[in-house]
């Protein structure tokens, strides 16, 4: 029906109420890439798509493709003040503060922001997010090495409703910064501190004590984390569902077994099972071993 009525002279699609019907009930079901193509049909369709873009609640750059031009991004969101979700992980090659800050500054209803790998931003981007998005609940800053302790403190001070934060490979951050974040944001359910050699037991223990709702914690590659903090995690986080500690060489089964017995999903297998897997890889078959005493 849509394809048969794209010509304005036929008087079908465009005769429907734009704001009441077309934007909320029809255009929202089309991929963004198709909408951008549709606006080239006529001036009327261009106006319709611009109205849709101004009222769009979710923008995901992956729907357009990996090569979205910088100018196109700026034009797409220049009139939008109602965004709730913003995903820009595909814009890492060119996205800077200059493009992002105006979008953040005019959208105060954002509750989910994805900036994974956006390496050309600066700490000013995180400060802008903290000041403009008081209702923010989910934030991914994975592989954003520009995140520092001062900008993270600003986030913690102004975005206390945070439930999920991804700080994977934010290598400037140390225990003190993580402690400040979890002290201010006690509603956290998901936290990733993976691939951060500066994070240790102090941060993990403070996270456990301040975030009783914690369900998912990623400590992959945190070499300074030891058994003691894992035991504190088991004591203070009864809702924990998954824990990643691969490549945490100072974390042993003596602490993990407590969580394992509670059904917490771990990314490392028990020592005996790991040994059998290694043996299978070496020998080429699964050995039959009687483990009963």
């Amino acid at each position: 029906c849509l394809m048969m009525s794209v010509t304005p002279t036929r008087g079908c699609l465009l005769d429907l109420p734009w704001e009441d019907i077309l934007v909320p009930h029809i255009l929202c079901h089309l991929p963004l890439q198709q909408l951008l193509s549709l606006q080239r049909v006529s001036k009327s369709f261009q106006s319709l798509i611009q109205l849709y873009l101004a009222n769009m609640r979710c923008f995901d750059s992956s729907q357009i493709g990996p090569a979205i031009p910088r100018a196109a991004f700026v034009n797409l969101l220049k009139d939008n003040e109602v965004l709730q979700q913003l995903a820009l992980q595909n814009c890492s090659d060119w996205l800077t503060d200059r493009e992002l800050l105006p979008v953040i500054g005019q959208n105060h209803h954002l509750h989910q922001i994805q900036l994974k790998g956006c390496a050309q931003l600066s700490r000013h981007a995180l400060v802008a997010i903290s000041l403009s998005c008081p209702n923010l609940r989910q934030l991914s800053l994975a592989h954003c090495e520009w995140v520092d302790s001062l900008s993270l403190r600003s986030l913690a001070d102004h975005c206390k409703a945070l439930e999920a934060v991804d700080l994977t490979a934010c290598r400037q951050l140390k225990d003190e910064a993580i402690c400040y974040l979890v002290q201010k944001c006690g509603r956290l359910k998901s936290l990733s501190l993976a691939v951060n050699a500066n994070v240790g037991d102090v941060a993990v223990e403070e996270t456990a004590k301040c975030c009783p709702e914690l369900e998912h914690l990623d400590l992959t590659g945190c070499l300074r984390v030891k058994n003691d903090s894992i035991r504190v995690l088991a004591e203070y986080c009864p809702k924990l569902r998954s824990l990643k500690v691969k490549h945490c060489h100072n974390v042993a089964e003596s602490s993990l077994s407590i969580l394992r017995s509670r059904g917490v999903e771990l990314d490392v297998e028990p020592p005996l099972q790991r040994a059998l897997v290694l043996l299978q890889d070496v020998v080429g078959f699964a050995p039959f071993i009687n483990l009963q005493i």
Side-chain angles (χ1 to χ4, degrees):
C1 178
L2 178 62
M3 297 306 296
M4 294 176 60
S5 58
V6 293
T7 304
T9 56
R10 293 188 180 181
C12 292
L13 184 67
L14 292 177
D15 286 344
L16 295 171
W18 288 15
E19 295 190 32
D20 295 330
I21 301 295
L22 292 184
V23 170
H25 298 295
I26 296 180
L27 296 187
C28 63
H29 297 291
L30 295 179
L32 188 55
Q33 185 68 56
Q34 291 186 14
L35 290 174
L36 298 181
S37 299
L38 190 61
Q39 69 178 341
R40 295 196 293 267
V41 172
S42 68
K43 289 185 177 179
S44 295
F45 270 98
Q46 183 179 21
S47 298
L48 173 61
I49 301 307
Q50 288 176 346
L51 176 65
Y52 172 80
L53 294 173
N55 290 275
M56 185 168 50
R57 298 295 197 274
C58 175
F59 180 84
D60 187 345
S61 62
S62 64
Q63 294 181 3
I64 301 177
I68 172 177
R70 184 192 314 240
F73 168 78
V74 173
N75 186 60
L76 287 174
L77 297 180
K78 61 183 176 62
D79 297 322
N80 193 304
E81 298 180 359
V82 294
L83 275 179
Q84 296 180 2
Q85 301 177 39
L86 181 63
L88 300 175
Q89 63 271 27
N90 279 27
C91 305
S92 57
D93 290 340
W94 54 263
L95 185 68
T96 68
D97 292 355
R98 184 176 181 178
E99 293 79 36
L100 180 63
L101 264 58
V103 176
I104 296 299
Q106 66 191 32
N107 283 281
H108 305 292
H109 304 289
L110 280 164
H111 59 73
Q112 183 175 336
I113 299 177
Q114 166 67 264
L115 297 176
K116 179 180 179 180
C118 293
Q120 298 189 49
L121 297 174
S122 76
R123 59 184 301 272
H124 300 294
L126 187 53
V127 173
I129 289 172
S130 65
L131 296 177
S132 298
C133 308
N135 300 315
L136 192 64
R137 295 200 299 272
Q138 299 181 34
L139 177 62
S140 175
L141 298 168
H143 303 281
C144 293
E145 296 193 20
W146 45 265
V147 177
D148 60 12
S149 59
L150 289 178
S151 57
L152 194 69
R153 287 174 71 94
S154 179
L155 179 73
D157 285 334
H158 296 93
C159 299
K160 294 182 173 61
L162 279 168
E163 295 180 356
V165 179
D166 188 346
L167 298 172
T168 298
C170 292
R171 294 185 174 90
Q172 289 195 56
L173 300 178
K174 299 181 180 179
D175 282 347
E176 294 78 10
I178 304 302
C179 289
Y180 192 88
L181 173 69
V182 298
Q183 288 167 1
K184 296 287 185 175
C185 303
R187 301 182 188 178
L188 281 176
K189 296 181 180 179
S190 177
L191 177 64
S192 176
L193 303 173
V195 198
N196 194 330
N198 294 318
V199 170
D201 285 344
V202 174
V204 176
E205 291 181 12
E206 193 67 15
T207 298
K209 294 175 181 178
C210 295
C211 303
E213 302 296 316
L214 193 67
E215 297 179 3
H216 307 282
L217 180 61
D218 190 347
L219 300 174
T220 303
C222 293
L223 303 179
R224 295 176 56 227
V225 173
K226 302 182 181 65
N227 285 322
D228 289 344
S229 61
I230 302 301
R231 294 190 181 96
V232 173
L233 195 66
E235 179 180 357
Y236 284 89
C237 296
K239 297 184 179 181
L240 193 66
R241 294 167 52 193
S242 70
L243 174 66
K244 295 183 178 181
V245 288
K246 189 173 290 185
H247 307 303
C248 294
H249 304 305
N250 294 312
V251 175
E253 184 64 21
S254 58
S255 60
L256 294 176
S257 60
I258 306 172
L259 295 169
R260 203 184 298 278
S261 65
R262 281 174 24 193
V264 175
E265 180 183 346
L266 303 174
D267 63 342
V268 292
E269 297 174 338
L272 180 57
Q273 188 169 348
R274 287 204 301 273
L276 292 177
V277 170
L278 289 173
L279 184 59
Q280 179 179 353
D281 291 340
V282 173
V283 179
F285 65 92
F288 295 93
I289 301 177
N290 184 0
L291 300 179
Q292 294 182 351
I293 299 177

